[in-house]
Amino acid sequence: MRVVRWVPIALAIMVASGCSDSSGPPPPPPPPPPPPPPPTHLPIQPTVTSGSAHTCVLKSTGAAFCAGENSSGDLGNGSTVNSDTLVRVSGATVFATIAAGSSFTCGLNTDSSAYCWGAGFGGQLGNGGSSNSPVPVPVSGGRRFVSIVAGGEYACARTALGAAYCWGANFDGQLGTGDTARSRVPIAVSGNLTFQSLTAGAAHTCGLTTTGAAYCWGLAGSGQLGNRSSGGGPSLSPVPVSGGLTFQAIAAGDSHTCAVAASGSMYCWGSNGSGQAGNLNTLGYSTPTQVLGIVTFKSVTAGGLHSCGLNLAGSAYCWGANGEGAIGNGTTQNQNSPSAVSGGLAFENVSAGVAHTCARTSAGAAYCWGSNNFGQLGHPPEQSLTPAAVFGLTGATALAIGSTSFHTCALTGAGRALCWGRDAEEELGNGIYGPSAVPDSVTGGLVFNSISPGTLHTCGVASGGTAYCWGSASQGQLGFFSGTSVVDHPTTVPDGRTYTAIAAGLWHSCGLADSGSAYCWGSNFYGELGDSMPNTSYTPIAVIGGHLFANIAAGVFDSCALTAAGAAFCWGSNTSGQLGDSSTVFSSPVPRAVAGGLTFNTLTIGAEHVCGLATSGAAYCWGSNTSGQLGNGSNTKSNVPVPVSGSLTFSSIAAGSHHTCALTTAGKAYCWGFNGAGALGNGTTDSTNAPVAVSGGLTFSAIFAGNLHTCGLSSGGSASCWGDDYYGQLGRGVVGYSTAPVVVPQ
């Protein structure tokens, strides 16, 4: 604005000089205005935030995801369809922080510009209009903010200098502008106060000044402003909260407010009909009143009719209405004092919605509990009375791990795919880069019949028989030429075939067409594609020999398949005898019959060994045996099938990179081979060349082995994993390793 105004002034000076009798030179023009200060660069603050019936999660990459009600575009994914799994917010904006309001969400990008999406009828999107938007739209005015909050039908934000601006509905003065006129663009809060934080409730707003003094404005009928006023009219400008306390955190709920004093004591005021003020007077309080119990808090959040806080150790406590389980203590009884949230988890932030609560651990895992009528807990619509992992495995019907993979995938009963663990080449398929220590939804909303994790890529067969792959594309293993090194979302293998099964290996993949014919694609260094031409293929090519198969498996540099009659064939590398045909050839591009005349029900391939279950239930293995992965009591490799020791009868078997696990017909798990990270699950890290029982006495319906970890699936749909957890592949929200089974959070 200063530049535009200076031009005519300068011209006027020049014109006046030209008409003057003065013989001296004209005075120099004034200097140009200084450039505007550079925008504030905000660090990304991963968080979880709860709206009325939706939840949003901001990941460490700056990508935002939301789940729950979406009738007004609350989720920001370009649609108005509710989602019980997290969907990514549209656009390429890298967010530094986000805040969920009643039916809308706002965020700041890393350049401190504000964006909002969802319901806009009250002007709460701040873009000058009143229409809903299912995608983020920039807030008008171009102001730079450092924090943002969202309330009932309005939002507020704070500048780096502590000035507060609000926009949206203003029926009760919640914008703090001295009147009740709504504003569709940011407008300054009156009073010239300097704030360090703000919080927005249903129709009242509060803030802490830089000295820790609390001020509130807006609806006051229940005493939620804390200034001894209740039952009267609203306050249209900030008023000081009574009592002279100094606070470090404050949160506005529906009709109550809570704050953490400098001492760590929790105080609440306003409505208390359900115990949300944390004390005994059900009529509520018009001034700050200390909540019952002896807990030292560091943060607070206020929801519809409940409140929560974190203690110094990160443990969550909640109080108030609990009919939907928002307190998270396993009951549905209201609580008038802080009650510990079940599960013993340590959180970094907690956020209360109308009837649900969500929190985030330091490892980035999001958990929610309470009402789930719109899927706001991030899993199918079933309420949870205790913390349940967002992206959790509720109703999982299938697990899958590649023998050399550092990630795990699962299918829910509805066919939704979830993956977790390493994401070095986008193999999780969630649209963002970076490992996930909890199950994370594969993007695209596809319904899968089966899924197969490879080392750096993943493939699946959708319900219509179309094959999809994602992750590393360097060797053609996705079945198409992508033009990029990685693909971060499921992409169709464009050969038009209908597949019944698929298997992902290291740099190649194989699938079975509905005819039973096998097709492979990707690298072909050792003939692993089953084709005599040693060239990489970016499209599926038929395996030589004309065999018809019933199932198929892909390894590092080899592949195997079973006919409907149970005859086993392998092709590719034979450096350790993994073709099992008794030969010593280096490799074979043509399927070779496995020696011994055995009839198998299933086959599984490790890094350099293969195992199968005979129709009798006896397990046989062949190939490399450096760590005892053949399970026959020795460490000598074998180029023919050898029986696994112990005379056990198994129902399923899974080969990991250098270990093997199997389930007995009673569902008990046994493992053998390399155990450096606890993949055998027997409580030790000692390798063994014969089967050892997995600790815990658990009963499984299926078992799967990866590079250094193993998972089992129960008949009820829950999963337990053990072994290496460096990339979060055990799905429990932390990293490290476990030598015994740990449950993947539901």
Side-chain angles (χ1 to χ4, degrees), residues 207-239:
L208 295 182
T209 68
T210 52
T211 63
Y215 285 77
C216 295
W217 57 95
L219 189 64
S222 299
Q224 58 263 56
L225 303 189
N227 67 334
R228 299 186 183 278
S229 172
S230 62
S235 176
L236 308 184
S237 299
V239 293

Side-chain angles (χ1 to χ4, degrees), residues 225-520:
L225 303 189
N227 67 334
R228 299 186 183 278
S229 172
S230 62
S235 176
L236 308 184
S237 299
V239 293
V241 172
S242 301
L245 290 165
T246 299
F247 296 105
Q248 58 176 302
I250 192 167
D254 187 356
S255 56
H256 74 290
T257 308
C258 293
V260 180
S263 64
S265 297
M266 183 71 71
Y267 289 81
C268 296
W269 54 94
S271 177
N272 194 40
S274 299
Q276 62 265 46
N279 217 301
L280 300 177
N281 185 359
T282 57
L283 298 179
Y285 303 89
S286 60
T287 60
T289 304
Q290 189 168 355
V291 303
L292 300 175
I294 305 174
V295 180
T296 301
F297 290 95
K298 64 179 181 180
S299 67
V300 63
T301 179
L305 297 173
H306 74 290
S307 312
C308 298
L310 297 181
N311 71 5
L312 298 179
S315 298
Y317 290 79
C318 296
W319 56 97
N322 196 31
E324 297 287 338
I327 304 302
N329 64 352
T331 76
T332 55
Q333 282 75 49
N334 293 354
Q335 304 290 321
N336 58 17
S337 63
S339 175
V341 172
S342 300
L345 294 163
F347 297 110
E348 284 205 336
N349 81 282
V350 61
S351 179
V354 169
H356 78 291
T357 310
C358 295
R360 178 186 179 276
T361 70
S362 59
Y367 290 81
C368 294
W369 55 96
S371 174
N372 197 29
N373 53 329
F374 293 99
Q376 59 263 45
L377 301 191
H379 59 69
E382 297 172 359
Q383 73 173 168
S384 179
L385 305 183
T386 59
V390 176
F391 302 126
L393 288 181
T394 302
T397 58
L399 277 176
I401 308 174
S403 63
T404 57
S405 69
F406 290 94
H407 68 293
T408 309
C409 293
L411 296 181
T412 68
R416 289 193 178 94
L418 307 99
C419 296
W420 60 96
R422 189 174 68 175
D423 197 34
E425 299 286 340
E426 310 281 9
E427 57 264 39
L428 298 188
N430 60 359
I432 59 174
Y433 175 78
S436 175
V438 294
D440 202 346
S441 290
V442 172
T443 61
L446 294 164
V447 176
F448 287 98
N449 290 332
S450 64
I451 192 167
S452 175
T455 307
L456 294 170
H457 73 293
T458 308
C459 294
V461 176
S463 57
T466 301
Y468 289 82
C469 294
W470 58 94
S472 175
S474 59
Q475 300 295 325
Q477 59 265 53
L478 304 189
F480 55 88
F481 182 76
S482 68
T484 59
S485 61
V486 298
V487 174
D488 66 1
H489 61 281
T491 304
T492 306
V493 176
D495 64 345
R497 292 185 178 89
T498 300
Y499 286 94
T500 60
I502 201 163
L506 172 60
W507 290 325
H508 77 291
S509 308
C510 294
L512 291 184
D514 54 2
S515 63
S517 297
Y519 294 84
C520 296

Side-chain angles (χ1 to χ4, degrees), residues 453-723:
T455 307
L456 294 170
H457 73 293
T458 308
C459 294
V461 176
S463 57
T466 301
Y468 289 82
C469 294
W470 58 94
S472 175
S474 59
Q475 300 295 325
Q477 59 265 53
L478 304 189
F480 55 88
F481 182 76
S482 68
T484 59
S485 61
V486 298
V487 174
D488 66 1
H489 61 281
T491 304
T492 306
V493 176
D495 64 345
R497 292 185 178 89
T498 300
Y499 286 94
T500 60
I502 201 163
L506 172 60
W507 290 325
H508 77 291
S509 308
C510 294
L512 291 184
D514 54 2
S515 63
S517 297
Y519 294 84
C520 296
W521 54 93
S523 70
N524 199 26
F525 301 128
Y526 293 85
E528 56 266 41
L529 301 190
D531 180 80
S532 58
M533 297 298 292
N535 299 319
T536 293
S537 177
Y538 286 89
T539 58
I541 56 177
V543 173
I544 293 173
H547 301 285
L548 299 182
F549 296 112
N551 62 50
I552 195 164
V556 176
F557 296 116
D558 53 349
S559 308
C560 293
L562 286 181
T563 68
F569 290 82
C570 294
W571 58 96
S573 175
N574 195 38
T575 54
S576 296
Q578 59 264 50
L579 296 187
D581 67 337
S582 76
S583 75
T584 57
V585 298
F586 181 73
S587 64
S588 175
V590 178
R592 289 176 173 247
V594 172
L598 294 163
T599 302
F600 293 101
N601 288 328
T602 186
L603 287 179
T604 178
I605 303 180
E608 291 184 301
H609 77 291
V610 182
C611 293
L613 284 187
T615 53
S616 64
Y620 291 81
C621 297
W622 56 95
S624 176
N625 199 24
T626 53
S627 299
Q629 58 264 49
L630 301 190
N632 67 334
S634 80
N635 289 74
T636 304
K637 71 178 182 179
S638 176
N639 60 6
V640 296
V642 292
V644 172
S645 301
S647 300
L648 294 164
T649 301
F650 296 109
S651 59
S652 65
I653 192 167
S657 178
H658 294 86
H659 75 289
T660 311
C661 294
L663 294 182
T664 67
T665 51
K668 299 299 181 182
Y670 286 80
C671 296
W672 56 92
F674 183 72
N675 196 31
L680 303 191
N682 66 336
T684 76
T685 55
D686 300 326
S687 300
T688 177
N689 56 22
V692 292
V694 172
S695 300
L698 296 169
T699 300
F700 298 107
S701 59
I703 196 164
F704 304 87
N707 199 309
L708 294 169
H709 76 292
T710 310
C711 293
L713 181 68
S714 76
S715 58
S718 63
S720 296
C721 297
W722 55 95

